[in-house]
Amino acid sequence: MFTSKYKDNSEKSTGLLFMRVYNKWHFTIKQALKELNLTHPQFVVLASLSYLSQHDNEVTQVMISKLSGIDVMTVSQILSLLEKRGFVERKEHSRDTRAKA
């Protein structure tokens, strides 16, 4: 059994406090995104796309994957759904015919 040095006072445990703050933040963001009919991963993809668009006119799903930490196939699926719902528009990349921008 693991015994914490904070077993008698969880308020002093940085790890437990972080967990509580994260859970509160995650709940709050999920509620706000629910009103927009977006999931958290969809929001992360959109936020990553927005950031990358400030620096590059042709953002690829590989670029979004690297920035967001979401695997490329999942980013592709999310982008397809977001495109169907009108959140993003994809077109053929000007320099890489295998990629969409």
Side-chain angles (χ1 to χ4, degrees):
M1 180 170 178
F2 174 76
T3 304
S4 171
K5 66 180 181 179
Y6 302 112
K7 67 181 180 183
D8 295 323
N9 188 352
S10 65
E11 295 297 316
K12 290 187 177 183
S13 170
T14 305
L16 290 173
L17 289 173
F18 174 78
M19 183 176 61
R20 287 175 42 203
V21 169
Y22 172 82
N23 286 337
K24 176 70 174 164
W25 170 83
H26 195 253
F27 174 80
T28 302
I29 193 114
K30 280 178 62 174
Q31 292 302 107
L33 292 173
K34 187 176 184 179
E35 294 176 20
L36 300 171
N37 197 25
L38 288 172
T39 64
H40 192 258
Q42 291 168 345
F43 171 75
V44 171
V45 167
L46 287 171
S48 298
L49 173 60
S50 178
Y51 175 79
L52 291 166
S53 294
Q54 296 176 71
H55 306 286
D56 197 323
N57 290 331
E58 293 186 309
V59 177
T60 66
Q61 64 190 36
V62 172
M63 294 164 68
I64 294 169
S65 175
K66 286 180 182 176
L67 181 65
S68 67
I70 300 172
D71 69 89
V72 177
M73 286 306 299
T74 302
V75 168
S76 177
Q77 292 170 342
I78 291 171
L79 286 171
S80 291
L81 179 64
L82 291 173
E83 184 177 31
K84 286 178 188 170
R85 293 178 49 210
F87 282 94
V88 299
E89 181 181 331
R90 296 192 289 179
K91 58 185 177 185
E92 194 171 299
H93 195 281
S94 66
R95 297 179 307 275
D96 185 352
T97 57
R98 299 167 298 157
K100 290 186 178 181

